[in-house]
Amino acid sequence: MVKLNIVEKALVNNPFRALAQRHFETPRLMALGGPCPGACALEIGGGQGEGARLIREQFGAAQVFSLDLDFEMVRRARRRLGDTPGVLCLQGDCTALPLADQSVDALFDFGVVHHVPQWQDAIDELDRVARPGATLYAMEVYRSLICHPVWKRVLTHPQENRFDQAEFVAAWEARGWTLLGEKHLGSGLGWLAMQKGRP
Ligand SMILES: C[S@@+](CC[C@H](N)C(=O)[O-])C[C@H]1O[C@@H](n2cnc3c(N)ncnc32)[C@H](O)[C@@H]1O
């Protein structure tokens, strides 16, 4: 299991990360993919739980399964979210999801797939649980940042088999998904929305 190192844990477990997710990332993802009212949503790598809150409040999902590999993160998310209705925080691996085929309307990836050594396995799993017409909302971090000489000393990410935004989009397209829209910040960071099947 590849856990976040102490620096990255500090970067994602704080009120500023929550504010960035709310005021910077959510508006971008919303502009690209629109809301998902009444959806059954899955968030992978839910971290401290802010994503799940936003998926309910801002995107309008009825039910959110927020899954994280690291049980410490799950505990933190549960503590922060209390008994927010419609949110279930679970420990689990996004390459082996505890969900039935075609059971989810919306997938959320706030900076998680780049942590998975065999990231293509995660995409296979996410594709498996997504219903036809489901929307993917993703913020991802790419090879140029992950493998940068400075960042690879500070953060702990797999260094092999990384991807850029075009390769990430192509991997979804190869599984029958269509790009709804994308944005990026340099070559290291990007947002995108995709739909399963043809819109
Ligand atoms: C960079 S943090 C992002 C946390 C949160 N999504 C955010 O935006 O603040 C990546 C998260 O993914 C989790 N993670 C890493 N590999 C995972 C996997 N294979 N399945 C599920 N979660 C995973 C980590 O434990 C961590 O909480």
Side-chain angles (χ1 to χ4, degrees), residues 1-4 8-9 11-13 17-18 21 25 43-51 67-71 73-74 90-97 108-117 122 139 141 157:
M1 156 164 162
V2 187
K3 275 200 176 185
L4 302 190
E8 197 166 2
K9 270 211 171 156
L11 285 175
V12 295
N13 285 340
R17 172 68 195 136
Q21 266 185 292
E25 292 178 4
E43 182 194 22
I44 56 164
Q48 65 176 345
E50 193 62 20
L67 184 109
D68 202 290
L69 190 60
D70 182 348
F71 192 64
M73 294 298 233
V74 177
L90 304 166
Q91 196 268 332
D93 186 337
C94 64
T95 62
L97 294 167
F108 286 83
D109 160 24
F110 283 98
V112 179
V113 171
H114 68 277
H115 282 278
V116 182
M139 185 287 281
V141 183
H157 291 116

Side-chain angles (χ1 to χ4, degrees), residues 169 172-173 176-181 193-199:
V169 169
W172 288 94
E173 286 175 339
W177 291 65
T178 304
L179 184 64
L180 298 176
M194 302 197 71
Q195 187 164 32
K196 184 167 179 169
R198 308 284 155 217

Side-chain angles (χ1 to χ4, degrees), residues 73-109:
M73 294 298 233
V74 177
R75 263 208 308 259
R76 180 176 171 87
R78 286 180 180 159
R79 213 171 37 238
R80 286 186 77 249
L81 291 167
D83 43 15
T84 304
V87 175
L88 196 60
C89 297
L90 304 166
Q91 196 268 332
D93 186 337
C94 64
T95 62
L97 294 167
L99 294 172
D101 294 359
Q102 301 194 356
S103 56
V104 164
D105 308 299
L107 302 170
F108 286 83
D109 160 24

Side-chain angles (χ1 to χ4, degrees), residues 13-49:
N13 285 340
N14 66 74
F16 299 107
R17 172 68 195 136
L19 287 173
Q21 266 185 292
R22 178 173 292 268
H23 297 293
F24 190 66
E25 292 178 4
T26 294
R28 277 161 183 73
L29 292 175
M30 187 75 83
L32 297 170
C36 53
C40 173
L42 167 68
E43 182 194 22
I44 56 164
Q48 65 176 345

Side-chain angles (χ1 to χ4, degrees), residues 114 140-153 155 157-159 161-165 167 184-190:
H114 68 277
E140 263 310 329
V141 183
Y142 301 120
R143 181 191 296 115
S144 66
L145 215 108
I146 289 169
C147 302
H148 186 280
V150 173
W151 286 111
K152 77 179 188 191
R153 291 179 73 102
L155 305 173
H157 291 116
Q159 292 292 305
N161 186 30
R162 295 307 84 198
F163 50 92
D164 62 20
Q165 186 149 313
E167 289 161 340
H184 55 88
L185 199 59
S187 60
L189 204 68

